[in-house]
Amino acid sequence: MDSRTGLPVVGMVGGGQLARMTHQAAIALGQSLRVLAVSADDGAALVAADVVIGRHDDLDAVRAFAKGCDVVTFDHEHVPGDLIRTLAAEGVTLLPGADALRFAQNKREMRTHLAELGFPVPRWTAGDIKAFGDEVGWPIIVKTATGGYDGRGVFVANSQDDIPDHPDLIGEERVQLKRELAAVVARSPLGQVAAYPVVETVQKDGICVEVLAPAPDLDEDLAIEAQRLAIDLATRLGVVGVLAVELFETTDGRILINELAMRPHNSAHWTIEGARTSQFEQHLRAVLDYPMGDTRLTAPAVVMANVLGGAPGGMSIDERLHHLFAEEPGAKVHLYGKQVRPGRKIGHVTVLGDDLEDCRRRAARAARILEEGYEH
């Protein structure tokens, strides 16, 4: 406990935008968030008071960081499982635990275990990818088993010649895709679970550019199925904290599990303004075993648009903010304190309203002003 506040100290390994936004949620709850950042220039390190500089894969650094924390959690999946197990054996509370987190760290292990449990997944192989492609029909999707995000480590193979030279790959069928969805839930150690409305995620070049909440025109039975699936996954995998389940909705009306993330997730950034309890507050509640918060929407339609780094030069980000606020005063802006690189997520904007298409137009315009500068 923090002796000054009498409230728990949560440690978050990783100093990116997820830790930055978790810090904002912690402030309202009166909690102290300690951040382990690689650099003092990381997004969370720029705003948090209690920052330790160190690497997430350095046992001694994480051990020293964890001293004085009531619980340690993560803003990414790259902390080695052996490190987590070692500290857990020493009495450190780390959530989610290594046994759950490994299924978000390794796609081969995730696909194997989910298939064994009977969860719906695309047809896949960890064996002979060429033979698999011949069996299910080309093109197929090839992924690196570990690492990879925002389209990295994911390849479309039209033939065996397109299979990358990598030591650890899996192959998946290319499903007949209607759209991509996400079901986000949070689970406490006591076993209480809260589910957010299912959302549609819109991808471009492997990067999520837009999230629509709730997913428009989604069959009610399918929405309930997706939520139940995410709750069942969280329970059976023993997840504590936020679990984001990325889903494929197929053209024949099925849902298939694509990826898992056991932390706050881009598909639920809209909850900061768009839900009664944000995913970041919910994650803190979960790892501290507080009762879960209300997940209902605060407006009939909520749209989040990611802000991607554009070409260098031109109008400054400060000038762009001036123009954005003048043109779209209702847009809520979140900038992550990142250096701008083309295609890099540097922030997001959220727009709430009664009409989904109007919200989409306004959110896209706000993001475009931040990315490209003012449009006359």
Side-chain angles (χ1 to χ4, degrees), residues 34-362:
R34 179 176 298 167
V35 175
L36 182 66
V38 174
S39 165
D41 294 329
D42 287 355
L46 295 174
V47 296
D50 190 356
V51 178
V52 177
I53 303 301
R55 289 193 55 81
H56 60 271
D57 53 3
D58 181 334
L59 175 60
D60 290 336
V62 181
R63 179 187 282 123
F65 168 77
K67 289 182 179 178
C69 291
D70 292 273
V71 61
V72 174
T73 188
F74 314 100
D75 100 329
H76 57 69
E77 289 97 355
H78 306 309
V79 182
D82 288 345
L83 185 155
I84 297 172
R85 289 186 178 90
T86 297
L87 293 182
E90 295 174 2
V92 178
T93 301
L94 303 103
L95 298 172
D99 289 344
L101 195 60
R102 67 190 178 101
F103 299 117
Q105 295 173 322
N106 189 300
K107 297 178 181 67
R108 176 172 25 81
E109 292 195 26
M110 176 194 70
R111 285 279 183 261
T112 299
H113 192 56
L114 296 193
E116 290 172 348
L117 293 176
F119 286 103
V121 297
R123 289 181 292 176
W124 72 286
T125 186
D128 187 334
I129 294 178
K130 176 191 177 300
F132 176 77
D134 291 340
E135 176 188 348
V136 303
W138 302 89
I140 62 171
I141 304 300
V142 179
K143 298 179 179 180
T144 57
T146 59
Y149 62 95
D150 286 348
R152 299 177 181 88
V154 180
F155 312 90
V156 178
N158 293 296
S159 71
Q160 63 174 324
D161 296 334
D162 295 330
I163 300 173
D165 183 15
H166 190 279
D168 196 8
L169 296 172
I170 66 169
E172 293 182 0
E173 67 172 324
R174 191 175 187 181
V175 302
Q176 296 299 308
L177 183 65
K178 179 179 179 180
R179 58 179 168 177
E180 295 192 44
L181 304 171
V184 176
V185 300
R187 179 177 178 271
S188 72
L190 191 63
Q192 186 186 9
V193 181
Y196 287 97
V198 178
V199 300
E200 178 178 348
T201 62
V202 180
Q203 319 291 321
K204 182 179 180 182
D205 299 326
I207 299 176
C208 176
V209 295
E210 187 182 37
V211 177
L212 314 178
D217 302 318
L218 179 62
D219 179 80
E220 183 178 356
D221 290 340
L222 202 61
I224 293 172
E225 179 184 344
Q227 289 178 313
R228 287 178 173 168
L229 183 151
I231 291 170
D232 196 18
L233 271 168
T235 302
R236 298 182 73 177
L237 298 182
V239 177
V240 173
V242 166
L243 170 68
V245 184
E246 298 180 43
L247 298 164
F248 296 135
E249 182 184 2
T250 65
T251 53
D252 59 358
R254 296 177 297 144
I255 53 173
L256 302 172
I257 298 168
N258 177 26
E259 304 283 356
L260 303 179
M262 297 176 189
R263 51 168 171 77
H265 190 256
N266 189 224
S267 64
H269 288 352
W270 63 271
T271 61
I272 297 174
E273 291 85 20
R276 296 179 187 274
T277 308
S278 80
Q279 67 162 337
F280 300 99
E281 178 181 335
Q282 202 79 286
H283 187 72
L284 289 169
R285 288 190 186 213
V287 299
L288 290 168
D289 213 5
Y290 290 169
M292 297 289 92
D294 189 342
T295 58
R296 287 177 295 172
L297 277 73
T298 58
V302 184
V303 175
M304 185 217 73
N306 279 317
V307 178
L308 306 180
M315 187 181 293
S316 73
I317 191 69
D318 182 59
E319 291 178 285
R320 296 178 190 195
L321 278 170
H322 277 78
H323 289 301
L324 183 155
F325 290 144
E327 296 296 323
E328 294 291 346
K332 303 299 292 185
V333 177
H334 297 265
L335 294 175
Y336 303 153
K338 288 183 172 182
Q339 293 297 311
V340 177
R341 292 200 302 265
R344 187 186 198 190
K345 290 178 187 172
I346 61 170
H348 73 267
V349 296
T350 304
V351 171
L352 288 71
D354 296 319
D355 180 79
L356 177 66
E357 290 308 315
D358 179 63
C359 289
R360 293 186 75 174
R361 178 189 61 77
R362 292 165 54 208

